[in-house]
Amino acid sequence: MEHNVFQVIWFVLWGVLWAVYFVLDGFDLGAGILLPCVTKNEAERRAVYQAIGPFWDGNEVWLITAGGATFAAFPKTYAVMFSGLYTALFVLLFALIVRGVAIEFREKVAGEGWRRFWDFLFWISSLVATLILGVAFGNLFLGLPIDAQGIFRGSFLTLLHPYALLVGALFVVAISVHGACWLAFRVNGEFRERLLRDAKILWVFEAVLAVAVLLFSLKLTPLWGNYLKAPVLFVFPLLAVVGLILVPYFLNAGRTLAAFLSSGAAILGVTAWGVAGLFPNLFPSRLNPEWSLTIYNSSSSPLTLKIMTVVAVVFVPIVLLYTLWTYRTFSYRITREELAYGEGY
Amino acid sequence: MDVVWASRLQFGAAAFFHFLFVPLTLGLSILTAIYETLYVKTGDEDYRRAAKFWGRLFLINFALGVVTGITLEFQFGTNWRYYSEYVGDVFGSLLAIEATLAFFLESTFIAVWAFGWNRLSPKMHCLAIWLTALASNISALWILIANGWMQHPVGYVLRNGRAELKSFAEVVFNKFAWLEFLHTVPAAYILSGLFVLGVSAWHLRRGREVAFFKKSFRVAAVWTLIFSLFVFVEGHLHGTEVAHTQPTKLAAMEALWETQKGAPWTLFAIPDPAKERNLVEIKIPKLLSLLAFHSPEAEVKGLKDFPPEERPPVSFTFWSFRIMVLLGIWFVLLSFWAFKNRENPEASPGLLRALIWSIPLPYIALEAGWMVAEVGRQPWIVYGVMKTAEAVSPISPVQVGVTLAAFLIFYTILGVIDFWLLAHYARKGPEPVTA
């Protein structure tokens, strides 16, 4: 009995880690996707890097922790998921490597060609990473072709199901909006005006795709099942919808931080909606529901879960505290003088 | 090539590259923190410049250390599915704890340090680099506790078809893991110390920024001597632990085929595993028994006592071990030499030249040591519990082969750029005083 409580706790924490990851790393991934589309000159491009510079690395650790937590709390899911989605995961890994290196190396050598090269890699790797994460979640929502032994009976192409691609598209657009809001919050002048405009245009696509995902999920996935059993869960999609509606409202009012937070709430809401719909599955089988990996048949022993809970309860709040502190310290408005000073990497 | 071999090569390549970048960051973060502390204490502008200069080199390397580390974490799942299933209950939590305790701290405060030069008070800024240094070392501790468990599994019980945690304390206070930590991390400090000494020597030889590099030199000379002596002594303790817990590894390290009392130490040998003997060997009588079991007559088990399928690759382990030990001796001598001349290193051109040429050597020693640890553990992935061949994922060799090739090409390019940038900025020297 007690075991079940810890399994549920770790399911919730698993969802929280993913949600925090998408909200935080989301804006720097979004900045990467937007880079070539919204910037007109070198000063603006540098402003984009400066706007995410102090944060992106810490943000990415949430992904690593989400991976690590899956390994620790649900080792069987970790093993089956990562080996089953082998090719997709390696593409994601390569994208993340390229991305990190691009951010770090771009400023290291003066020269237009050098910078343009890393700018291109930063853009494509941000886009690919976001798309893969979205498609992966889309596939989780659909269920995957895994057999009784947890062996993946499909190929890379199996993953490109139209519904999964739809979720991928939603991720890309939502994260772009998120990035645009953050950048608008950090810069000023004409660049800011342009970002506000772009964010509003992108938002229309985000809204359309979000509605499409919510509706198609009704037809194609079992996600809504849990909501009928426990209507209190409707708070998540509600959060997503309210957050989404508030974004253009705050953008029109020029309140960029509020718009950014609303966009974050929308991402949080969508992630929580999906994760809550999965429960108690972590890696559902489309071939036979009996073969799904759930929190009950794939978790660690009670002792490991207990120790991990203590670690999480003590350290996650500390991590959040100093993360918040860095956001307060480094969320200054990036002006021409700041760029000339050329702090950081 | 079968899936096991391809996966081993792939994991080996990923770990090899990771281990090219990480050791420098472990020590350079602390050295940077020491320089910055000296600045905060004395107000000496040269120390502020030193923190900036060495810190920048640290940053260049840090990025690659991080991204290659992410790959390693995910590879347990992608390539070693049955390993992850079988021991994830014990092993997985160690990786997750590492991320929660150390990785967040490190990634957050390195950025605070890089971006905070005039947004934070000098003391706060100095604290940021200390936190980074602390975190990267805590991170190494948890990773080595995880690896130490693969070397010498403790605190678990086989139940429900897998290894389940029995005592977390036993896993965390695993003596083998701590000896491994105390060997590996100070070895990384030697690498960082010799890096600083080598780069300083390069500038001193050219008479550039002499006052500045003499200050860097002095600190690094003391530092490197302390740790090369420490690693030397600790290496012996580590070796005796291996003798007790991993007899096949010891026998392979020493190319010892016959079990014998009063075993000799082999200075040189060409092992011939097919015939289970050494072609040529130069031996020192009774030394191995003395070193491994502290008694000249102690019995040491030879490879023939173990079935061939449980023996690690002998030549490889034997030579990796010898390269590591020989280089270790050289580091003791070299750092003693540097220490003796620490006040006026520019007066001894021979020392400066030796230091410059020795920059790559600790990299070789560390990789060799790591190969002794990992190759010497074969065919076990978890010593005595699970074989590497049983751990691999049910994936096609083609998939692994393609990613292996991609890795090699990709990491080589990144490594070349990284070392080129390191050399570029190391040669450039610190920023001018006016900045």
Side-chain angles (χ1 to χ4, degrees):
Chain A
M1 181 61 213
E2 198 186 11
H3 195 188
N4 293 357
V5 173
F6 283 108
Q7 285 165 327
V8 174
I9 288 175
W10 272 95
F11 182 82
V12 173
L13 280 171
W14 183 78
V16 168
L17 287 171
W18 279 111
V20 174
Y21 169 68
F22 287 131
V23 171
L24 290 184
D25 210 30
F27 74 79
D28 59 65
L29 283 164
I33 299 172
L34 291 173
L35 182 78
C37 326
V38 298
T39 56
K40 277 189 177 159
N41 52 46
E42 173 59 17
E44 290 179 1
R45 280 188 288 275
R46 282 197 57 197
V48 170
Y49 284 100
Q50 187 96 144
I52 61 165
F55 311 112
W56 76 272
D57 198 359
N59 293 344
E60 210 165 280
V61 179
W62 289 90
L63 174 70
I64 296 160
T65 310
T70 315
F71 196 177
F74 307 107
K76 180 141 193 191
T77 297
Y78 169 85
V80 170
M81 185 187 283
F82 282 37
S83 58
L85 307 180
Y86 192 85
T87 308
L89 253 158
F90 269 97
V91 178
L92 174 65
L93 274 179
F94 282 118
L96 291 176
I97 294 172
V98 169
R99 196 167 172 268
V101 172
I103 299 173
E104 297 288 331
F105 284 179
R106 180 190 195 266
E107 296 287 321
K108 289 291 186 294
V109 178
E112 178 74 9
W114 173 271
R115 284 197 298 263
R116 277 307 167 107
F117 173 70
W118 293 113
D119 282 347
F120 170 76
L121 289 180
F122 179 46
W123 167 72
I124 189 104
S125 57
S126 300
L127 181 64
V128 167
T130 309
L131 188 64
I132 288 193
L133 285 164
V135 172
F137 268 77
N139 276 298
L140 277 189
F141 298 163
L142 271 176
L144 287 116
I146 49 166
D147 66 17
Q149 276 74 46
I151 294 183
F152 184 71
R153 297 281 168 207
S155 70
F156 188 58
L157 292 177
T158 321
L159 302 176
L160 303 178
H161 186 283
Y163 172 81
L165 291 174
L166 181 71
V167 177
L170 171 63
F171 264 57
V172 170
V173 178
I175 270 172
S176 302
V177 170
H178 201 44
C181 292
W182 175 258
L183 291 177
F185 164 57
R186 297 297 308 279
V187 302
N188 58 12
E190 189 251 342
F191 189 22
R192 178 168 181 269
E193 296 307 314
R194 225 177 323 127
L195 283 163
L196 287 174
R197 200 196 58 213
D198 293 345
K200 279 183 261 181
I201 298 171
L202 282 166
W203 178 87
V204 177
F205 290 96
E206 184 186 359
V208 171
L209 286 168
V211 172
V213 165
L214 294 181
L215 288 179
F216 276 109
S217 304
L218 203 55
K219 184 126 187 69
L220 296 169
T221 75
L223 285 184
W224 287 102
N226 283 340
Y227 289 82
L228 301 176
K229 277 182 247 163
V232 60
L233 293 176
F234 275 103
V235 61
F236 297 131
L238 197 67
L239 177 70
V241 170
V242 172
L244 201 57
I245 292 172
L246 285 175
V247 172
Y249 169 78
F250 285 129
L251 284 176
N252 280 326
R255 292 174 61 190
T256 46
L257 180 61
F260 170 72
L261 294 174
S262 308
S263 143
I267 293 174
L268 193 77
V270 169
T271 313
W273 160 78
V275 171
L278 275 175
F279 183 89
N281 286 329
L282 288 158
F283 204 67
S285 170
R286 205 197 294 169
L287 305 178
N288 180 349
E290 298 278 301
W291 298 340
S292 297
L293 294 176
T294 69
I295 61 169
Y296 303 116
N297 67 18
S298 83
S299 87
S300 281
S301 65
L303 179 60
T304 297
L305 290 180
K306 260 185 227 171
I307 289 164
M308 291 292 301
T309 307
V310 173
V311 171
V313 167
V314 175
F315 284 96
V316 172
I318 297 175
V319 171
L320 283 171
L321 271 181
Y322 62 65
T323 304
L324 214 65
W325 174 81
T326 44
Y327 275 81
R328 259 193 38 202
T329 311
F330 292 100
S331 293
Y332 50 88
R333 186 82 69 183
I334 299 164
T335 58
R336 264 183 205 289
E337 296 76 61
E338 288 287 350
L339 279 184
Y341 170 67
E343 201 169 8
Y345 296 126
Chain B
M1 190 158 49
D2 67 358
V3 125
V4 180
W5 261 101
S7 283
R8 277 183 63 186
L9 275 178
Q10 187 185 308
F11 196 87
F16 177 89
F17 276 98
H18 185 56
F19 216 48
L20 280 181
F21 307 118
V22 169
L24 183 63
T25 62
L26 287 174
L28 207 51
S29 57
I30 304 181
L31 281 163
T32 303
I34 292 174
Y35 293 129
E36 191 160 344
T37 308
L38 287 170
Y39 164 65
V40 172
K41 286 215 141 124
T42 64
D44 184 340
E45 190 65 8
D46 270 349
Y47 283 124
R48 191 185 68 85
R49 291 165 72 223
K52 268 204 151 169
F53 175 68
W54 300 110
R56 179 191 282 278
L57 296 175
F58 166 75
L59 273 176
I60 291 171
N61 227 37
F62 179 78
L64 280 178
V66 171
V67 291
T68 52
I70 300 177
T71 317
L72 278 177
E73 178 190 329
F74 283 6
Q75 268 182 320
F76 287 108
T78 51
N79 289 58
W80 307 102
R81 172 184 154 174
Y82 293 112
Y83 170 81
S84 302
E85 275 189 57
Y86 195 64
V87 303
D89 195 64
V90 185
F91 187 86
S93 55
L94 300 173
L95 294 195
I97 291 173
E98 187 254 350
T100 319
L101 252 64
F103 210 12
F104 273 120
L105 196 66
E106 186 180 11
S107 303
T108 306
F109 281 95
I110 187 57
V112 167
W113 186 82
F115 285 82
W117 278 103
N118 58 355
R119 275 178 205 284
L120 302 173
S121 72
K123 274 194 181 152
M124 200 57 211
H125 191 260
C126 186
L127 179 67
I129 189 73
W130 273 115
L131 286 173
T132 307
L134 179 75
S136 50
N137 284 278
I138 295 178
S139 163
L141 175 64
W142 284 96
I143 292 305
L144 288 168
I145 287 177
N147 185 271
W149 189 82
M150 296 167 84
Q151 304 282 354
H152 180 54
V154 291
Y156 70 99
V157 52
L158 295 177
R159 190 166 50 203
N160 302 322
R162 63 177 178 186
E164 290 195 350
L165 189 65
K166 194 182 72 196
S167 160
F168 188 62
E170 256 186 78
V171 172
V172 172
F173 297 108
N174 182 359
K175 188 178 163 202
F176 193 100
W178 279 85
L179 284 169
E180 206 182 333
F181 170 74
L182 290 175
H183 193 65
T184 313
V185 170
Y189 295 165
I190 300 176
L191 180 141
S192 321
L194 284 177
F195 179 83
V196 171
L197 287 172
V199 171
S200 301
W202 192 86
H203 284 275
L204 288 171
R205 243 170 88 80
R206 282 158 186 77
R208 291 188 199 157
E209 290 277 0
V210 173
F212 174 90
F213 280 108
K214 272 170 80 171
K215 285 177 193 167
S216 289
F217 191 101
R218 210 160 46 222
V219 174
V222 177
W223 163 277
T224 312
L225 180 65
I226 294 172
F227 288 109
S228 35
L229 288 172
F230 180 86
V231 169
F232 198 76
V233 176
E234 202 278 345
H236 169 67
L237 296 176
H238 192 38
T240 53
E241 184 69 13
V242 168
H244 280 101
T245 52
Q246 298 186 322
T248 47
K249 184 189 274 181
L250 180 81
M253 275 158 69
E254 301 298 344
L256 184 75
W257 296 98
E258 310 285 345
T259 298
Q260 50 190 293
K261 289 196 163 121
W265 195 74
T266 308
L267 195 64
F268 179 89
I270 300 176
D272 180 3
K275 297 209 172 74
E276 302 190 323
R277 66 189 172 106
N278 297 330
L279 290 177
V280 190
E281 45 185 12
I282 302 171
K283 300 190 282 195
I284 304 172
K286 298 187 196 282
L287 185 59
L288 178 57
S289 289
L290 185 67
L291 284 174
F293 296 103
H294 295 157
S295 149
E297 294 306 326
E299 183 180 271
V300 184
K301 276 206 188 294
L303 286 158
K304 284 189 183 171
D305 255 18
F306 303 96
E309 66 278 8
E310 288 191 5
R311 299 176 196 163
V314 179
S315 311
F316 198 84
T317 315
F318 177 83
W319 280 111
S320 302
F321 180 62
R322 263 146 198 80
I323 289 170
M324 175 183 78
V325 172
L326 285 176
L327 287 172
I329 294 170
W330 169 239
F331 300 149
V332 172
L333 298 174
L334 182 65
S335 57
F336 186 70
W337 190 7
F339 176 78
K340 244 184 73 194
N341 290 290
R342 69 189 180 283
E343 294 306 330
N344 277 320
E346 72 276 23
S348 29
L351 169 64
L352 296 184
R353 249 198 318 269
L355 284 171
I356 296 168
W357 285 104
S358 293
I359 294 177
L361 299 183
Y363 285 94
I364 298 171
L366 270 148
E367 294 286 1
W370 170 75
M371 284 176 193
V372 175
E374 298 295 281
V375 176
R377 191 188 60 222
Q378 300 303 325
W380 303 102
I381 194 165
V382 181
Y383 197 80
V385 175
M386 184 184 214
K387 287 207 171 140
T388 310
E390 304 162 346
V392 80
S393 296
I395 40 178
S396 76
V398 179
Q399 279 179 306
V400 191
V402 169
T403 49
L404 169 63
F407 258 122
L408 289 177
I409 296 168
F410 197 51
Y411 272 17
T412 307
I413 295 171
L414 291 182
V416 168
I417 298 177
D418 185 77
F419 281 105
W420 177 76
L421 278 174
L422 271 181
H424 174 78
Y425 278 99
R427 283 193 184 142
K428 221 169 117 183
E431 60 184 56
V433 186
T434 46

